[in-house]
Amino acid sequence: MKAIRRFTVRPVLPEPLRPLSDLARNLRWSWHPETRELFHAIAPAGRRRAGLDPVRLLGTVSAERLAELAGDRRFLRRLGAAADDLQDYLGGPRWYQSAQETGRDGRLPAAVAYFSPEFGITAALPQYSGGLGILAGDHLKAASDLGVPLIGVGLLYRHGYFRQSLSREGWQQEHYPVLDPNELPLELLREADGAPAQVAIALPGGRLLRSSVWVARVGRVPLLLLDSDVEENGPGERDVTDRLYGGGSEHRLLQEMLLGIGGVRAVRTYCRLTGHAAPEVFHTNEGHAGFLGLERIRELADAGREGGPGEAGGPVGLDFDGALETVRAGTVFTTHTPVPAGIDRFDRELVARHFGDAGELPGIDVERVLALGLETYPGGEPNCFNMAVMGLRLAQRANGVSTLHGRVSREMFAGLWPGFDPEDVPITSVTNGVHAPTWVAPEVFRLGARQIGAGRAEDALSVGDSRRWSAVADIPDADVWDLRRVLREQLVEEVRRRLHVAWRQRGAGAAELGWIDGVLDPDVLTIGFARRVPSYKRLTLMLRDRDRLMDLLLHRERPIQIVVAGKAHPADDGGKRLVQELVRFADDPRVRQRLVFLPDYGMAMAQKLYPGCDVWLNNPLRPLEACGTSGMKAALNGCLNLSVLDGWWDEWYEPDFGWSIPTADGHATDENRRDELEANALYELLEQRVAPRFYDRDAAGVPQRWVEMVRQTLVNLGPKVLAGRMVREYVERLYAPAARAQRALTPQAATELAQWKARVRAAWPRVAVDHVETGAVAVDRTEPVGAPGTPPNGSAELGATLSLRVRVALGDLAPDDVEVQLVSGRVDESDRITDATTVPLKPSGGPDLEGRWLYEGPLALDRTGSFGYTVRVLPAHRLLASPAEMGLLAVPSEATSEEAGVLMR
């Protein structure tokens, strides 16, 4: 019979075992081998059944077994050591505390709030769909290892992301299991009187969307997850956090309002109840949480209207514009998508209906809210509210997630900075990293620990130290190769187990599945391909020439085998067709022992897949892969990358440790032709370079050249791909400057900055470069080469210096309001300056009778070839993070440009 109600019965732990509760409730166990082994010892048979989740595992242990463990002195010693280690980890000083003491101003941010729509911490907390969530989880873990005082903020999805299975015909099917927070490693945030803490946001019609707050302990970092499934909500409101990336536009809008606005309120509540330092910096991981900036503006504006300090504890007495400047100074925005289609966009009227006096943020003009997100720039849709655009307008600092993606982002969002070349758009990049303690196989860690010691190996994985990674060079070839086979063998066993389960779900009987026992071979070159399945990742590129692929799979001397996994979005029928196409090929009895598709890709599968593969394949359409961190996780386990030069691989690829798939990404190449060319390049690499190197063995059966590539992968890529390196870059390059900028904006400074910007914007139409005049040319600054007034067109000698005089109209502005810059460098055939050098020019004297100012400066001719220059005028203020921040620019007119010309030398 079916139960009419379900609830969780928790075990009562004997007093000696009480530390088990703390160990189970802190998700550090998910990346700490000793703690995992401790729980494994409690009930080995139930460990897999409990999904590697100590909370659930403890719920399955009998009272008799607990009593037995309470009297086991050896177990209690291990338990005491693990508990002591956790307390040292939580309370001891780490990298951040040392950096705080030795920093230039000694004041890194007191705390940072990190918002993301999904977090991939562990398979036991399924609140992620793909790379964005896994990256966010790794960010929190690395911050914990480094001691960064981070607070994570997300939503608790009662159905998580979907579970994937396959029909008999290979069509993806979705399942949404219900998650009970009481059975997850979470704690409900409570008020001092024990009542559940709640936050609420206003909805049209006087309704409220209420949310409880669950807390996950990610090492030292609290992760706050907002849950709308509370009794006080109506049915529609209860379903707002039902599933990740589900529902229509209004459903998504409500999720993102709850994440951003409700998330800030949850942070304030958490800090009030726990005494945690209030964040000085807010980091939004993609645009989904962009509304957090509006809530922070409301806090400051409300405090100003009420004449007292706000709950935020920050500057008070500000109007909207002053509050906006304060919020921008302390906000970091990270964009992850390289295509406009990947950004959440809402209809103007839908957003307007949910804000203002009839909805959330009463007292703030709806038009001011809309202006932050509308695509009011050339090429945009003026009635479309763009979450990434709002994120950029509300953040003084923004970044992409690889060097190439930073360049793509500057081009994609250039419309927000009209007149600026893409390279001047103020979006930098911090290349993603991965949390090595989570993704490095225990066997790989033990090999490193044997070489340099367990403590130094842990530091090398969490903080990063290239000197320690270089110790890999001393590990004997035979040891490296033996390890690779052990990992491959474990993967073969895992694949067979999962494949058996998958085929039973597809309706196959046990008698039909004897062939699975022969799937894959632990001595065959193994290639992995696992990721989400949007079209640009090209799951089926390997099938372009099926006969050629079959020859590779079944080659007599140098066979390959491929393990594939991935989920298509439930609404993406095109992606599902790609999955079905791959599955049908893999079902062919001729190849099914060499190519498999594993359904329900997730963290638990990935942690077996990355170490067990010899080669990690990635063949997206360049440059549509923002970063592609799966290849990083594989590399940390000695797996070699075979990839298109996209994302992080474009940045760090070297032939010593992997292969680059040539791309055909010219504008004249159609999609079909491009796939054909790049598939042929892939086959050729596998046939002529990858497989021959793997099977080229010495007398002892060791492929020395392959092992050397494995070694180079670990030594050269290991320290680079770490999430610890990534988080240190965020702290040093973005968080610390943002905190300093936010502190500098006292209420008076914020108001003055807002007023200065308004004055500059109003005066800017009258700012112009009226005249550029060339002065004397000299060699080595002393020997004249031409007379004053020599035309700049023609030739000049290397080492000469050109004197420039520029006349600039500033209208109502003063020289202190602007910077006049000389921009010079090589020019291409269309006279575009490349590899530019920028030098400020200085005003000379006062304004002339027409109110124009004269600026002067030298132009050093320090490069050969076609050379050009121009001048530009930009707003200048000590509190601007970038000269391009305001999107205002004045350059010479076409007539003035013709007078200046190009230097040929």
Side-chain angles (χ1 to χ4, degrees):
M1 298 179 66
K2 187 175 182 179
I4 62 172
R5 188 174 180 184
R6 171 180 173 159
F7 52 91
T8 301
V9 179
R10 299 189 183 280
V12 178
L13 293 174
E15 185 62 33
L17 301 183
R18 291 293 171 87
L20 283 173
S21 179
D22 291 335
L23 290 170
R25 291 281 167 185
N26 193 306
L27 292 173
R28 187 197 180 212
W29 60 258
S30 67
W31 73 89
H32 191 246
E34 288 83 357
T35 305
R36 290 201 304 272
E37 290 167 4
L38 179 74
F39 282 106
H40 187 202
I42 294 175
R47 186 168 181 257
R48 175 172 289 173
R49 193 167 60 247
L52 307 182
D53 178 356
V55 171
R56 292 194 179 193
L57 186 143
L58 288 177
T60 67
V61 181
S62 66
E64 292 77 13
R65 175 60 175 157
L66 291 175
E68 178 186 346
L69 291 170
D72 185 337
R73 288 185 296 175
R74 185 167 180 269
F75 180 84
L76 292 179
R77 283 196 299 271
R78 292 176 64 191
L79 174 59
D84 290 345
D85 183 75
L86 177 62
Q87 291 309 309
D88 289 344
Y89 176 86
L90 297 178
R94 305 188 76 80
W95 171 84
Y96 194 85
Q97 287 67 42
S98 298
Q100 185 82 282
E101 293 176 1
T102 59
R104 284 179 299 174
D105 63 1
R107 293 187 64 196
L108 293 174
V112 176
Y114 180 88
F115 286 64
S116 179
E118 52 175 299
F119 286 91
I121 309 295
T122 168
L125 188 62
Q127 300 292 305
Y128 61 92
S129 71
L132 180 70
I134 301 299
L135 179 279
D138 282 6
H139 195 109
L140 264 58
K141 295 174 191 175
S144 174
D145 290 343
L146 296 172
V148 181
L150 209 69
I151 302 174
V153 184
L155 301 179
L156 179 68
Y157 305 98
R158 287 299 181 107
H159 295 277
Y161 200 52
F162 71 91
R163 302 292 301 272
Q164 178 197 46
S165 63
L166 299 173
S167 71
R168 187 73 186 221
E169 296 74 31
W171 187 255
Q172 173 178 296
Q173 298 177 319
E174 298 92 27
H175 312 275
Y176 291 90
V178 177
L179 301 174
D180 181 355
N182 294 292
E183 295 180 350
L184 298 174
L186 301 170
E187 296 176 358
L188 191 62
L189 183 64
R190 296 182 180 275
E191 297 287 349
D193 61 2
Q198 285 192 350
V199 298
I201 64 173
L203 301 179
R207 295 173 296 137
L208 289 177
L209 171 58
R210 298 176 179 86
S211 170
S212 57
V213 182
W214 296 88
V215 182
R217 301 288 171 185
V218 187
R220 299 165 70 116
V221 173
L223 170 58
L224 313 182
L225 298 173
L226 282 72
D227 176 16
S228 70
D229 189 11
V230 297
E231 292 183 1
E232 295 87 344
N233 281 333
E237 288 75 41
R238 293 186 75 154
D239 286 343
V240 166
T241 57
D242 59 349
R243 61 185 61 176
L244 178 59
Y245 301 143
S249 290
E250 185 163 19
H251 187 265
R252 290 287 290 274
L253 178 65
L254 290 176
Q255 284 190 340
E256 296 184 5
M257 289 177 64
L258 183 61
L259 174 60
I261 297 170
V264 173
R265 294 172 185 173
V267 168
R268 304 305 185 202
T269 302
Y270 179 81
C271 292
R272 171 175 59 82
L273 292 173
T274 65
H276 194 289
E280 292 184 274
V281 175
F282 286 74
H283 183 178
T284 173
N285 190 39
E286 252 313 336
H288 308 81
F291 289 121
L292 71 85
L294 294 176
E295 168 63 7
R296 293 173 60 219
I297 289 172
R298 181 204 62 79
E299 289 178 330
L300 297 171
D302 281 358
R305 284 193 294 269
E306 295 165 7
E311 189 178 12
V316 297
L318 296 170
D319 61 9
F320 184 95
D321 293 316
L324 172 61
E325 295 304 330
T326 302
V327 167
R328 289 187 72 254
T331 301
V332 174
F333 173 72
T334 297
T335 175
H336 287 261
T337 178
V339 290
I343 298 170
D344 276 349
R345 303 158 84 212
F346 301 105
D347 181 76
R348 170 196 177 108
E349 296 306 318
L350 175 64
V351 176
R353 189 165 69 247
H354 283 81
F355 286 92
D357 293 338
E360 189 49 77
L361 307 185
I364 294 180
D365 185 356
V366 172
E367 292 303 317
R368 298 301 303 268
V369 172
L370 293 173
L372 291 168
L374 292 179
E375 297 179 0
T376 52
Y377 47 80
E381 296 182 25
N383 289 319
C384 180
F385 191 91
N386 185 310
M387 295 298 289
V389 167
M390 178 175 65
L392 289 166
R393 286 175 173 157
L394 283 171
Q396 196 174 44
R397 289 163 180 82
N399 69 284
V401 291
S402 69
T403 299
L404 177 60
H405 180 240
R407 186 160 70 244
V408 170
S409 298
R410 288 188 288 274
E411 294 172 353
M412 186 166 75
F413 294 111
L416 291 169
W417 291 270
F420 286 87
D421 292 336
E423 55 266 27
D424 292 322
V425 168
I427 300 176
T428 186
S429 63
V430 175
T431 302
N432 283 343
V434 297
H435 186 246
T438 295
W439 300 108
V440 170
E443 295 81 1
V444 176
F445 175 80
R446 284 196 289 267
L447 183 62
R450 199 167 71 208
Q451 193 72 18
I452 63 174
R456 296 180 69 200
E458 285 183 7
D459 289 344
L461 292 181
S462 58
V463 179
D465 185 333
S466 58
R467 293 169 299 177
R468 296 180 182 182
W469 283 88
S470 64
V472 172
D474 299 326
I475 300 175
D477 288 0
D479 290 355
V480 173
W481 187 238
D482 287 346
L483 173 63
R484 293 300 316 149
R485 192 189 189 284
V486 167
L487 296 173
R488 203 181 306 116
E489 194 168 47
Q490 290 179 358
L491 175 61
V492 170
E493 294 174 0
E494 180 77 1
V495 166
R496 291 173 182 174
R497 183 185 69 80
R498 288 181 176 272
L499 203 57
H500 194 277
V501 172
W503 271 100
R504 293 305 300 266
Q505 290 176 337
R506 294 177 70 179
E512 300 177 67
L513 302 180
W515 61 273
I516 290 179
D517 293 338
V519 166
L520 303 188
D521 183 330
D523 291 313
V524 167
L525 170 61
T526 304
I527 298 173
F529 183 101
R531 49 188 47 86
R532 291 184 304 111
V533 191
S535 59
Y536 79 87
K537 291 182 183 284
R538 297 192 293 185
L539 171 72
T540 57
L541 186 70
M542 67 180 75
L543 304 182
R544 185 76 186 188
D545 185 336
R546 300 188 180 203
D547 290 338
R548 198 169 176 183
L549 175 61
M550 198 171 295
D551 288 343
L552 282 162
L553 294 170
L554 304 177
H555 196 283
R556 288 187 178 182
E557 289 82 29
R558 298 191 300 271
I560 68 170
Q561 54 195 16
I562 306 176
V563 182
V564 184
K567 295 178 177 179
H569 188 280
D572 181 9
D573 282 349
K576 292 181 183 180
R577 282 191 288 272
L578 294 177
V579 170
Q580 186 178 46
E581 182 182 356
L582 194 288
V583 169
R584 284 179 169 174
F585 181 81
D587 286 350
D588 188 330
R590 293 174 295 174
V591 301
R592 64 187 183 185
Q593 291 183 321
R594 286 284 182 265
L595 191 151
V596 297
F597 180 89
L598 299 179
D600 207 29
Y601 180 50
M603 289 186 71
M605 182 192 297
Q607 286 171 320
K608 289 289 186 182
L609 191 54
Y610 297 131
C613 291
D614 300 294
V615 172
W616 195 256
L617 175 62
N618 191 25
N619 46 229
L621 285 166
R622 186 181 192 273
L624 301 184
E625 183 84 276
C627 186
T629 54
S630 63
M632 295 179 169
K633 298 160 194 158
L636 283 172
N637 288 282
C639 178
L640 308 183
N641 275 268
L642 169 62
S643 176
V644 165
L645 286 178
D646 203 1
W648 74 276
W649 193 237
D650 178 77
E651 191 171 338
W652 289 329
Y653 159 73
E654 291 182 18
D656 290 342
F657 47 70
W659 297 273
S660 162
I661 302 172
T663 56
D665 51 357
H667 295 294
T669 306
D670 65 55
E671 182 177 324
N672 188 59
R673 176 63 175 158
R674 178 173 178 175
D675 284 354
E676 181 180 345
L677 292 171
E678 296 184 11
N680 285 334
L682 171 60
Y683 297 137
E684 187 171 320
L685 280 168
L686 290 171
E687 292 163 346
Q688 299 182 16
R689 298 178 61 186
V690 180
R693 180 157 295 192
F694 181 85
Y695 289 104
D696 178 18
R697 311 292 170 86
D698 63 13
V702 176
Q704 290 183 337
R705 291 197 301 163
W706 187 276
V707 170
E708 182 56 27
M709 291 183 74
V710 171
R711 186 176 282 111
Q712 290 297 321
T713 293
L714 294 171
V715 170
N716 292 300
L717 285 181
K720 293 180 180 178
V721 302
L722 298 180
R725 183 271 312 155
M726 173 189 71
V727 171
R728 292 200 316 271
E729 284 194 39
Y730 273 109
V731 169
E732 294 164 354
R733 294 175 49 202
L734 295 171
Y735 295 166
R740 289 193 294 267
Q742 200 273 341
R743 292 178 197 134
L745 281 176
T746 62
Q748 181 179 349
T751 300
E752 290 175 353
L753 178 60
Q755 292 172 347
W756 176 84
K757 284 188 173 182
R759 180 170 61 85
V760 169
R761 287 193 182 99
W764 202 257
R766 294 182 295 281
V767 175
V769 178
D770 280 355
H771 183 69
V772 179
E773 180 180 307
T774 306
V777 178
V779 177
D780 295 331
R781 301 183 183 273
T782 57
E783 183 179 337
V785 175
T790 298
N793 289 332
S795 299
E797 294 182 5
L798 182 67
T801 298
L802 185 68
S803 176
L804 290 185
R805 294 160 60 86
V806 181
R807 223 174 268 115
V808 178
L810 296 181
D812 296 332
L813 300 180
D816 287 346
D817 295 320
V818 301
E819 182 173 283
V820 180
Q821 296 178 343
L822 166 65
V823 183
S824 63
R826 291 191 177 90
V827 293
D828 59 21
E829 293 178 355
S830 60
D831 289 349
R832 301 289 299 181
I833 297 174
T834 61
D835 193 20
T837 297
T838 301
V839 177
L841 302 176
K842 298 193 177 299
S844 177
D848 63 16
L849 295 176
E850 298 179 11
R852 298 176 303 182
W853 294 81
L854 180 65
Y855 282 76
E856 295 181 331
L859 168 57
L861 306 182
D862 55 359
R863 307 179 210 184
T864 58
S866 297
F867 190 88
Y869 70 91
T870 187
V871 293
R872 63 185 183 184
V873 187
L874 300 162
H877 193 285
R878 65 180 180 83
L879 295 177
L880 295 182
S882 161
E885 181 175 317
M886 294 181 64
L888 299 176
L889 176 72
V891 296
S893 65
E894 288 187 13
T896 306
S897 299
E898 289 172 2
E899 295 175 8
V902 177
L903 293 175
M904 305 292 297
R905 56 193 180 86

